[in-house]
Amino acid sequence: MIRFFCRLILKIFGFKYIGNFGSDIPKKIFAVYPHTSNWDFPLGILLKGAIPLDVNYVGKDSLFRWPYGWFFRWLGGIPVDRSKSTNFVDTLAGLFPKYERLSFAIAPEGTRKKVRKFRSGFYYIALKASVPIILVKFDFKNKIVDFSEPFYPTGDYGADLKIIINHFKGTTGVNPELACQWEDEFK
């Protein structure tokens, strides 16, 4: 019933989803770009129900406080305290050996505000956990969510980042002016 409902809503709003959802891969990272609006979250939840995807997401800890905290946890959320330095990469990478199936959706921008480069956490989590990254484009202009083939990080962040950026270029978010354009990425 949830699957039908989610697919219906996506269809009403004109969204299609294409590509490799990684259903046969038990452990992975979904790197979702661009993250420019609160509307990215409902789209992700609808996709999670429609495909269906067994995926968790990380969000700022303020979302998980009363009275809505239970709801965001029920949807697969894991709170992150961004006010202090925690070893986020090692913590998430360390979870993968403990589970048969585990995946995270992470926005490489790390925020809805305009940034000039990606945060590298999604990449290093996948590298340390030896899991692939599936690049996910939320293209609101064309109303397409595009899942890439699984991409295994090589450890050469600069070279891999060029591949990742080339994949994401041309994707239009809800607020295109807020999308990362990688102005300083290779300077």
Side-chain angles (χ1 to χ4, degrees):
M1 185 66 148
I2 289 176
R3 189 178 200 177
F4 171 78
F5 182 68
C6 290
R7 286 182 175 185
L8 179 64
I9 292 172
L10 287 169
K11 188 172 186 166
I12 288 169
F13 285 102
F15 274 92
K16 296 187 311 186
Y17 45 91
I18 58 173
N20 184 342
F21 313 125
S23 304
D24 57 333
I25 302 169
K27 300 176 185 185
K28 58 199 158 283
I29 296 287
F30 291 100
V32 183
Y33 173 86
H35 185 34
T36 64
S37 165
N38 286 333
W39 287 108
D40 301 335
F41 180 75
L43 178 57
I45 295 302
L46 287 170
L47 289 164
K48 180 178 175 169
I51 292 175
L53 294 172
D54 185 17
V55 62
N56 294 87
Y57 64 92
V58 292
K60 57 185 172 184
D61 61 342
S62 61
L63 293 173
F64 296 87
R65 295 187 186 131
W66 191 85
Y68 304 110
W70 67 270
F71 180 69
F72 288 112
R73 281 184 179 84
W74 179 73
L75 291 173
I78 297 171
V80 174
D81 183 356
R82 297 192 318 187
S83 68
K84 59 183 177 183
S85 179
T86 58
N87 202 331
F88 178 72
V89 169
D90 287 340
T91 300
L92 288 188
L95 291 174
F96 281 93
K98 298 176 182 179
Y99 296 93
E100 243 179 75
R101 298 187 68 80
L102 183 64
S103 60
F104 290 106
I106 299 176
E109 293 158 297
T111 182
R112 292 180 312 275
K113 298 174 187 156
K114 184 171 178 86
V115 296
R116 293 157 55 133
K117 63 180 187 174
F118 280 168
R119 293 182 177 205
S120 59
F122 77 100
Y123 178 87
Y124 287 107
I125 293 165
L127 183 66
K128 286 186 176 207
S130 299
V131 300
I133 300 168
I134 295 178
L135 306 173
V136 184
K137 296 191 260 188
F138 276 14
D139 191 338
F140 279 83
K141 179 181 178 185
N142 298 305
K143 296 195 175 190
I144 293 174
V145 178
D146 184 0
F147 292 78
S148 76
E149 290 297 316
F151 171 79
Y152 285 86
T154 65
D156 184 343
Y157 182 66
D160 289 348
L161 190 59
K162 286 179 184 177
I163 294 167
I164 293 166
I165 288 171
N166 281 332
H167 178 80
F168 285 137
K169 279 193 175 176
T171 306
T172 305
V174 173
N175 299 305
E177 70 280 3
L178 298 179
C180 179
Q181 297 303 315
W182 313 286
E183 297 156 2
D184 300 336
E185 203 64 55
F186 301 106
K187 289 183 181 178

